[in-house]
Amino acid sequence: LVRSESSQKVVNNLCNKVMKYQGIRQRLRKFCPETCGDCDKCVDDENFDTFVVGRRLTCLVIELQIPEVKELLCIRRVTFKGTTQRVSRFCPEACGSSCVITETPAQTLPPTLPPTLSPTL
């Protein structure tokens, strides 16, 4: 995708903003890696290291698990480097997931007024 210099600056500014989506708070570029030009950065965080139920957890540990255990570990929410999110966001390769969130947010409509007793114009 070819953008003018000014539109690229707008995209870069937006991509660096911190947003919250589905309980995950991080830079927009993590939610939209293709738009922000970060597709090649969808790799496991080699420094990811945390504890779950008293056991050490790294991306390599996840990679070596049987599929059923891997799935349970990857959906678990943990805090690492001050960010709380699913393990699959820290270890997308080990979990076999993409860096792109594919679910679209549900649209919320404002409440409507209650019906009136007399006709309105």
Side-chain angles (χ1 to χ4, degrees):
L1 178 65
V2 178
R3 295 186 180 109
S4 70
E5 189 176 326
S6 63
S7 66
Q8 186 60 49
K9 283 182 182 179
V10 170
V11 169
N12 288 341
N13 285 339
L14 286 172
C15 290
N16 287 323
K17 291 206 180 283
V18 175
M19 310 292 283
K20 186 174 183 180
Y21 175 66
Q22 294 184 340
I24 300 171
R25 184 175 164 79
Q26 60 187 2
R27 295 197 187 281
L28 187 59
R29 67 177 52 259
K30 292 288 188 174
F31 294 118
C32 306
E34 186 174 341
T35 301
C36 295
D38 289 352
C39 286
D40 57 332
K41 296 180 184 176
C42 186
V43 295
D44 291 348
D45 183 335
E46 63 187 36
N47 298 313
F48 176 72
D49 192 348
T50 192
F51 286 86
V52 173
V53 193
R55 300 188 105 160
R56 186 171 181 214
L57 186 63
T58 65
C59 295
L60 179 60
V61 168
I62 293 167
E63 195 173 315
L64 299 173
Q65 300 301 313
I66 62 172
E68 294 81 9
V69 173
K70 184 185 289 193
E71 184 177 344
L72 291 173
L73 291 172
C74 290
I75 62 172
R76 190 171 196 110
R77 293 180 67 80
V78 298
T79 301
F80 176 64
K81 292 184 181 176
T83 303
T84 301
Q85 57 190 5
R86 288 184 179 199
V87 170
S88 61
R89 304 293 290 167
F90 295 113
C91 304
E93 289 178 302
C95 291
S97 61
S98 74
C99 290
V100 179
I101 295 177
T102 56
E103 301 168 7
T104 55
Q107 181 180 8
T108 354
L109 299 173
T112 59
L113 296 173
T116 60
L117 294 176
S118 58
T120 57
L121 300 176

